[in-house]
Every structure is written in structure tokens, then in C-alpha cells.
Amino acid sequence: MLKTFEKLSTARQHEIIDTTAEVFAENGYHGTSIPSICERTGISVGALYKYFKNKEDIYVSVLQRGIDIIENDLYNEMPEGETIYDALNIIFNGLLPFYDNYRQYIILYIDAGTFSMNQFSYAITDRLENLASTYHIGLVDKYKATGSINPDIDSAYVAYFIDTYLTLFSYSLVSEYYRRRFDLFFGLDSSVAKNQERIEIILKSLRLLLE
Amino acid sequence: MLKTFEKLSTARQHEIIDTTAEVFAENGYHGTSIPSICERTGISVGALYKYFKNKEDIYVSVLQRGIDIIENDLYNEMPEGETIYDALNIIFNGLLPFYDNYRQYIILYIDAGTFSMNQFSYAITDRLENLASTYHIGLVDKYKATGSINPDIDSAYVAYFIDTYLTLFSYSLVSEYYRRRFDLFFGLDSSVAKNQERIEIILKSLRLLLE
Amino acid sequence: MLKTFEKLSTARQHEIIDTTAEVFAENGYHGTSIPSICERTGISVGALYKYFKNKEDIYVSVLQRGIDIIENDLYNEMPEGETIYDALNIIFNGLLPFYDNYRQYIILYIDAGTFSMNQFSYAITDRLENLASTYHIGLVDKYKATGSINPDIDSAYVAYFIDTYLTLFSYSLVSEYYRRRFDLFFGLDSSVAKNQERIEIILKSLRLLLE
Amino acid sequence: MLKTFEKLSTARQHEIIDTTAEVFAENGYHGTSIPSICERTGISVGALYKYFKNKEDIYVSVLQRGIDIIENDLYNEMPEGETIYDALNIIFNGLLPFYDNYRQYIILYIDAGTFSMNQFSYAITDRLENLASTYHIGLVDKYKATGSINPDIDSAYVAYFIDTYLTLFSYSLVSEYYRRRFDLFFGLDSSVAKNQERIEIILKSLRLLLE
DNA sequence: AATGAATGAGCCTTCATTCAT
DNA sequence: AATGAATGAAGGCTCATTCAT
């Protein structure tokens, strides 16, 4: 027999989880109360506890949904591009609409790296981390083949480099802290700088160091 | 009139704050209770509220102390080294003893990048972020002068690159999440890999991309 | 129109009530939840509330069934025996199989004597208490007639004496408390003593004081 | 350092526990809510949880106090009396003022025999049960010595007999159920019968069967 | 200056009961 | 007739903060 929650329409399930993710993103796990989730989702306390076992189960479900989204929206296909820089351009720009729709998941993704969230690392570790390393190493290998990157360099090094910049750029999209950190290095004024501008700097940086 | 807390000996002040930092690091801001701080520090509730205005004030004081330590222990002087790689070797290895003494502050430093901690950004932003960018740009400039790095490249790019790797390595010292992420890229087994090994990979990576 | 519950086969009705009685026996009235009853009986919440008005009604139905059983299984016929001691031997030993099948009702019978269950007294008082006194007074009168008991003693005194020992023995079958109390008086080791042994002590006791 | 509760005056401690005992007696363990205890004792929830670890701890403390009282008020000294019947007369009548002051503890004492309270038997078993058996066996032995009771009968049998009648009389003082059971046997009208009358019947009963 | 007892709002969770399907 | 999703009050317990001593 299906779990109660799984009997809801997929759209409704997503709506509930995405909204809940927002609340967790805004306040953190411990800072989020069950009533506040109920209020935002329009679900009664009783119903919520029919849907999920407890607060931890709610959080894990949110994290799983986040990974699903990242998997489907970000890592589903390799971008087409003449050189790896074209490809990276597409990837970085692709983050912007993702950010518009699902910024809460980027936030939770940062939270997941936090020490006090270690108890949840089991819930994301297996799937998410593999995803990024596999994807980026694949990307590098692909462009090694087309000659736009030096084939003598171990792909892992390049892939880690790219992933790192991508990760910190994602962080900067939602965290004032990471945004200021970036802007400070490159002399940008955080209150007016545009993400487009930041992407250009990053791409230039990648090019500079990879070529 | 002096704040009550400041009348304590400096050593006692540090002892209290460092211990409190541990508790916050372990449980996060919302997950930390005042009674748990009192228990760990051996201070009575009444005294704690004489020392600090409220929970938020305690947290801010902890963050300030963290920056003091980082400033004094990590960024106080440029390492001596023939090439920039020698210098970086010293810097990365210098993190290990720092980690032994003050890992709680690294954890709090990660927490600070979290969205739900944005309310505390003001308390660290001004000092800490400047510190890192100034230091690393200075470092790069210094070694540009000695010729061990290409003077045509804008120092900001190199400095950001170095700072990024340093930051993520710090994170990996305390966060399972970041540790696994790194290990996954480079095919290390997280349960046995040593930090020394990770530092070598990072230094090789820096060298590879900078030379 | 018949109550919905009464349209079920008698066997099914008994099955449901006996199982529900188990749950109430294990956890007490307030400690028993409707969902736990549904789970154990395999009945849906909706159905349960079609069968019974509310939790109180369920409990009362269980108590009524308990009295039915006691009436039919324990007090339906006088035991045949040469002397009253033979008869009592049969009665006490008859409790053991009853206990195997319906221990939950003995438990509920103890609960019923509890102050906080006074609200349910009405549901059992009228039938159950009369049953025991009538039966035991009848028993005594019968054996007075056969000469195995002194006819000058008021039957009520003897009957109450017998009923008391029978009641406390029943209690000891299900309650650790009453079992230990008995064993302590007679120097038995609760962890190994057998019910057969206890019955013998009781019968000896009755004989000693009645003869 | 003393527990917070133990810093209160003994009178206040007793006041709190005795009142709490009343609430538990009226509603049973599961039927009693923490707020209801707070309301009746005039203590705040926070204070209550400073005094006691949790609900179970409160209950156990109440049980312990009950045993203290029983020990000091009921079993502290052997009654003086020419024959054992004089002594028993004193004992049974001694229950009446005890009942006036501490009826709640008699109720809890009944509850303790309940199956769903088995989890608490550890808290009373060791002290209370020994108390009664030791006392009554001692009583019987004493009067065997003075010749008012047949010295050939094993004291345990007589003591258990006495204790049983005493126990059920106590029960009848607080439980409608046990009161009616007694009255039914002896043809009393529960609505008008006096305890004095019941004591006389019991004493006559003891005399009848012991002599 | 220091203590820790006291408060009661708020936490997570479960409950008896209703009602649309 | 039967299901089980939904409700929200109430459960036990912890918390940040105050204040009398």
C-alpha cells in the first residue's frame, strides 16, 4: 500500500516539498518549526505527520527532492559547445534560471556542508557528490578528445578546479557572505555588480589558468 | 563602566569563549541551548547574562574572537619561502595545528556562509573577508616581484584561486561533506586518506595550473 | 435498525472485542490509542467509529463481553466434588485455562477497581458483583447441606473468605504486584514458583481456617 | 549539591507531592497531564521540570512518599491490645484517619497492582511488600506468644489472611467497586452503610475463622 | 558580582474524531 | 458499508530570559 504522501498528485507533492524547502532554507533545520512549515504549505499538523514520520524525515525528503532536481535540471546532459569554454559558459549561465526557480535548494546544499548537519550527510552523500565529480570529469575528458584542453593534465585536477568555481559561484548566488568574498577579490561593488559580470570574471579565470 | 565580562582575566575570557564556540560549532546556533553553554563552561546562567546581553550577543562575541584568532594565527605574517610553492606549502601545513587548537572556529566560519546566518554577516564581513583577499593578493604580488610567478597575470585571479583552495581545504578538515567531495574527485578512500596526502594533491594542483 | 457491529458474525464480533481487550489490558484506558486498536484488530478507523460511538463505548463493550465470558466460563455451573475442598480445587484449577484464553479480561477486571475507572463502574457493577456473591454463597450452602462445612457459621462469611482468596489469586496470575505479595508471605521465589504450588498453599489455607 | 526540589522546606515538598498524588489518584497515570498537576499545585511547568526529571520521575516520587507515609503512619509500631482481636481492632480503626488524610495514596496503591503499571512495580516492590508481610507475621508471632492464637498454625497463613482483609478493606475505603463487592456479600446497603459497621463484620469474620 | 529558581511560550508529536470518497 | 485523509487541540518537555537572594 502506498504511503499517504505518495497518493497526492506529483505536482502537489513537489509544491509541498519545494515550499518546505524554502522554509528550511530561510531558517535552517533547527530554526525551522513544524507550525511554520504548516503555515507556509497550508497543511495541517496532523496531515504533515501522516505524510512524514517526523521532522528529520521531512528534511531528508526535501534533500532528496533537491538532488532529484539538480540531477535532472543541471546534470542531465552535456552542453554542446565548440570549446570547453563555450560549454562552461552555457553551464554557468544555466545556473541563473535554476537559481530563480530553486534557490532554496542551493541554500540547503550549503547548509549540508555544515558540521551540525553531519547527521544528514548520509542522505545526500551517495548520490550528489558522485554526480558532480562524474559529470565534470566526463566534461573534461570530452574536451580533451576534441583538443581544446591539454590531454597531459590529469582530468581530476581540472574537473575539481571547475567544480570548485561552479560550487562557489552557486554559493554566491544565495549567500551574501560568498558574494562579498568574491566581489572583494575582484574589486566589485556588491550592491550593483551583476551576476553576468561575475560569470565573465570566472570564465576568464578558468581560461587564464587552464590554457 | 567596563562590561562585567571584560573584568575577567584575558585567559579566562578566552577560555569561556573558546568553549562556547565549541558548543555552537557542534550544534549550530539554533541547536545550541543556553543551559548547554553553562554546563560546558561551568558558568551560571545568571553570570552568563551578566557577561552578555543575550544569545545573539554571545554568538557575535564568539565570531569576533574567531576572527581575532584567524587574524593573529593565520594571517599575521607572510611565510618565508623561496618560491610561492614553498610559501603555500608552509601555509597549508600551518592549517593543521590551527585546526587542532581551534577547529570550532573553522566550523563556525562555514556556518557563517549559511543563508540562515545572514543576520550575523555584519559581524564578520567587514574584517574577515578583507583579511583574506588582502593577504593573498599581497602574497601573489610578493612572489611576482621575486619572479616565481608570471607578472602579466592579474594578481586577483591567482589570489582568488589560492584562497578558494585554501578555504575548501579548511572546510574539508571539519566537514565530512567537503572531505568526501574532495576525495571523490581524486579517488581517495575517505576512511584512510591523510591530510598530508590531500595537501600534496592541492599543491600539485596549484603548481599545475599556475605554471 | 440493528447496530452495524451486530451485523457482523458473532465470531467476528468476539474476535474484534477480545483483541481490543488485549490492547486495553496492556496499556490501560488512557494509555490506549484508537489507532493502536485499529492496527491490532485490522479494522479501519472509519469502520471502528461505525461500530462504536466513541472510545468510551468501545471500552464499555469490552467490559460487557468480559462479564459475559466470566459468567459463562467461570460461574455457569457448580463443580461436582465430594467435599467443598474438592470443589474449590476444581474451581481454582479452572482459572488456569481461563487465564490462558482470557487473561486480558482478568487484567481489565483489576483495572475496574481502580479509582480513575469509577466512571465505568456502572457498566460492570450490576452484573458482575452479584454473580460472585450469589455463586459463592450458593456454593457454601450446598456443602453445608452435605455436611462438609459447619452449618452454624453464616454462609456470607465463608463465601466472602473464599471469594477473596479467589480474587487475589486471579490478580496474581496477571499482576506482578499481587504475585510478589503472595510469594513474599509464603517464602516463594517469584521467578521460579509455579501456580500449582500457589494453589496448594491457598487450598491448605482455606482448609486450615475453615475446619 | 542538592537537587532543586530538596532545597524546598520539607513541608512544601510534602504539600507538592501530596497534591500531585491527588491528581494522579483521580485520573490515573496516563490520564493525568502535566499542566493539570501544575494548576493544582500552583507550580509552573518549568519549575516542575526543575524539580523532577520527567513525568515518570514525578510518579515514582509520589509512590515513594506514599510508602514513607504508610511506613511511618501505619506500620511504625505494634498496637497494644490484650488479644490479637483488640490489636486488629486498633489497626482497622487506625485506617480511618489515615484515609481522611491520605486517601490518594490508598488509591495509588490499588493502581500499582494494575497490569499497565507493571513498569512502576520496581519503585514500590522492594519496600512496601516486605513491610506488610514482616509486620503481620510479627503481629501473629507476638500473639502466639501470649497464647491468644493457636501456636500450631503456621504464622504465614494467618498473617496472609489478616493482610488480605486489611488490604481489601483499604480498597473499599476509596473504591466504589470494592465497597459494593463487600456490601453485597453481607447484605449492606452501600448508600447508608458505615465503615464502623464494616469493621465489625471483618473483625467478627477474623474471629470466626481464626478461633 | 554571582547564583540558580522561576516563568510560560513554544517545541515536536500524537490523539480522538469527522467526513469525503 | 468501508476507507483512511484530515483536523487542531493537547500531550510531555525545553528554552531564553528575568530576578530575588
Side-chain angles (χ1 to χ4, degrees), chain D residues 121-140:
Chain D
S121 49
Y122 73 93
I124 44 169
T125 270
D126 292 343
R127 287 176 60 198
L128 182 56
E129 299 180 18
N130 260 301
L131 215 54
S133 72
T134 310
Y135 183 87
H136 287 124
I137 291 178
L139 184 78
V140 172

Side-chain angles (χ1 to χ4, degrees), chain D residues 133-211:
Chain D
S133 72
T134 310
Y135 183 87
H136 287 124
I137 291 178
L139 184 78
V140 172
D141 284 341
K142 174 179 170 189
Y143 283 96
K144 267 188 185 169
T146 71
S148 88
I149 218 170
N150 181 351
D152 295 337
I153 304 181
D154 187 333
S155 298
Y157 288 78
V158 180
Y160 182 72
F161 177 46
I162 292 171
D163 184 61
T164 293
Y165 273 57
L166 198 54
T167 300
L168 290 183
F169 176 66
S170 304
Y171 286 10
S172 79
L173 288 175
V174 294
S175 162
E176 199 179 320
Y177 181 91
Y178 286 99
R179 197 158 51 245
R180 288 206 198 176
R181 177 177 172 278
F182 185 90
D183 293 348
L184 218 55
F185 268 97
F186 297 101
L188 303 182
D189 177 350
S190 275
S191 58
V192 298
K194 294 258 168 35
N195 284 323
Q196 203 52 54
E197 208 175 339
R198 295 190 183 97
I199 291 180
E200 274 158 31
I201 290 175
I202 291 171
L203 289 177
K204 188 174 161 198
S205 188
L206 291 171
R207 193 163 222 142
L208 213 61
L209 296 171
L210 284 179
E211 275 184 347

Side-chain angles (χ1 to χ4, degrees), chain D:
Chain D
M1 195 182 40
L2 280 175
K3 264 186 56 183
T4 307
F5 187 61
E6 288 160 0
K7 289 185 197 153
L8 298 177
S9 73
T10 306
R12 180 70 182 134
Q13 288 181 38
H14 289 174
E15 194 181 20
I16 291 171
I17 298 264
D18 291 348
T19 306
T20 304
E22 279 173 32
V23 186
F24 275 124
E26 283 165 23
N27 310 294
Y29 180 73
H30 288 297
T32 297
S33 76
I34 299 295
S36 73
I37 292 175
C38 292
E39 201 174 348
R40 276 279 274 282
T41 55
I43 284 174
S44 72
V45 187
L48 193 69
Y49 274 89
K50 274 265 170 31
Y51 295 163
F52 305 100
K53 213 167 116 286
N54 51 30
K55 191 180 177 182
E56 187 165 330
D57 185 36
I58 301 173
Y59 196 68
V60 169
S61 302
V62 163
L63 291 180
Q64 298 294 355
R65 159 95 173 125
I67 303 174
D68 286 346
I69 294 173
I70 290 170
E71 194 167 7
N72 295 328
D73 278 35
L74 292 184
Y75 291 123
N76 62 332
E77 52 176 338
M78 286 283 162
E80 300 299 328
E82 204 146 331
T83 68
I84 193 170
Y85 306 104
D86 298 328
L88 288 170
N89 198 11
I90 294 170
I91 291 174
F92 273 86
N93 277 292
L95 271 174
L96 298 181
F98 181 83
Y99 159 83
D100 286 339
N101 294 324
Y102 299 117
R103 70 192 300 266
Q104 65 268 46
Y105 291 104
I106 302 183
I107 294 172
L108 293 177
Y109 183 68
I110 304 180
D111 284 9
T114 276
F115 183 82
S116 61
M117 290 293 103
N118 264 357
Q119 58 168 305
F120 293 109
S121 49
Y122 73 93
I124 44 169
T125 270
D126 292 343
R127 287 176 60 198
L128 182 56
E129 299 180 18
N130 260 301
L131 215 54
S133 72
T134 310
Y135 183 87
H136 287 124
I137 291 178
L139 184 78
V140 172
D141 284 341
K142 174 179 170 189
Y143 283 96
K144 267 188 185 169
T146 71
S148 88
I149 218 170
N150 181 351
D152 295 337
I153 304 181
D154 187 333
S155 298
Y157 288 78
V158 180
Y160 182 72
F161 177 46
I162 292 171
D163 184 61
T164 293
Y165 273 57
L166 198 54
T167 300
L168 290 183
F169 176 66
S170 304
Y171 286 10
S172 79
L173 288 175
V174 294
S175 162
E176 199 179 320
Y177 181 91
Y178 286 99
R179 197 158 51 245
R180 288 206 198 176
R181 177 177 172 278
F182 185 90
D183 293 348
L184 218 55
F185 268 97
F186 297 101
L188 303 182
D189 177 350
S190 275
S191 58
V192 298
K194 294 258 168 35
N195 284 323
Q196 203 52 54
E197 208 175 339
R198 295 190 183 97
I199 291 180
E200 274 158 31
I201 290 175
I202 291 171
L203 289 177
K204 188 174 161 198
S205 188
L206 291 171
R207 193 163 222 142
L208 213 61
L209 296 171
L210 284 179
E211 275 184 347

Side-chain angles (χ1 to χ4, degrees), chain C residues 32-35 49 55:
Chain C
T32 296
S33 76
I34 299 294
Y49 272 86
K55 190 178 176 181

Side-chain angles (χ1 to χ4, degrees), chain A residues 63-75:
Chain A
L63 291 180
Q64 298 294 354
R65 159 94 173 125
I67 302 175
D68 285 347
I69 293 173
I70 290 169
E71 194 167 8
N72 295 329
D73 277 37
L74 291 184
Y75 292 123

Side-chain angles (χ1 to χ4, degrees), chain C:
Chain C
M1 194 180 50
L2 230 57
K3 259 185 66 180
T4 311
F5 185 60
E6 288 159 0
K7 289 188 194 155
L8 299 177
S9 74
T10 307
R12 181 66 181 137
Q13 287 180 37
H14 289 174
E15 193 180 23
I16 291 171
I17 297 270
D18 289 349
T19 305
T20 304
E22 277 173 31
V23 185
F24 275 123
E26 283 165 24
N27 311 295
Y29 179 74
H30 288 295
T32 296
S33 76
I34 299 294
S36 73
I37 292 175
C38 292
E39 200 178 348
R40 276 276 275 281
T41 55
I43 285 176
S44 71
V45 192
L48 194 70
Y49 272 86
K50 279 279 190 317
Y51 296 162
F52 306 98
K53 208 168 122 281
N54 52 28
K55 190 178 176 181
E56 192 166 325
D57 185 35
I58 301 173
Y59 196 67
V60 169
S61 303
V62 162
L63 291 180
Q64 298 293 356
R65 159 94 173 126
I67 303 174
D68 286 347
I69 293 174
I70 290 169
E71 193 167 6
N72 294 329
D73 275 37
L74 291 184
Y75 292 124
N76 62 334
E77 53 176 336
M78 285 285 161
E80 301 299 327
E82 202 147 332
T83 68
I84 192 168
Y85 305 106
D86 299 327
L88 289 170
N89 199 9
I90 293 170
I91 291 174
F92 272 88
N93 278 293
L95 272 175
L96 299 181
F98 180 83
Y99 160 83
D100 286 339
N101 293 324
Y102 298 116
R103 72 192 297 266
Q104 66 267 47
Y105 291 104
I106 302 184
I107 294 171
L108 293 176
Y109 182 69
I110 305 181
D111 283 9
T114 276
F115 183 84
S116 62
M117 290 293 104
N118 265 356
Q119 57 169 307
F120 294 109
S121 284
Y122 73 92
I124 45 170
T125 270
D126 292 344
R127 287 175 57 200
L128 182 57
E129 299 179 18
N130 258 303
L131 216 54
S133 70
T134 310
Y135 181 87
H136 287 123
I137 291 179
L139 183 78
V140 172
D141 284 341
K142 172 179 172 189
Y143 283 96
K144 266 189 185 168
T146 72
S148 90
I149 216 169
N150 181 350
D152 295 338
I153 304 181
D154 186 335
S155 297
Y157 289 78
V158 180
Y160 182 73
F161 177 45
I162 291 171
D163 184 60
T164 293
Y165 274 56
L166 198 55
T167 300
L168 290 185
F169 177 66
S170 305
Y171 286 10
S172 80
L173 288 175
V174 294
S175 161
E176 201 176 319
Y177 181 92
Y178 287 100
R179 196 157 52 246
R180 288 206 199 176
R181 177 179 171 278
F182 184 90
D183 292 347
L184 215 57
F185 267 97
F186 297 102
L188 303 182
D189 177 350
S190 275
S191 59
V192 297
K194 293 259 169 35
N195 284 324
Q196 204 52 54
E197 206 175 340
R198 295 190 184 97
I199 290 180
E200 274 157 30
I201 290 174
I202 291 170
L203 289 177
K204 186 172 162 200
S205 188
L206 292 170
R207 192 162 223 144
L208 213 62
L209 296 172
L210 284 179
E211 275 180 349

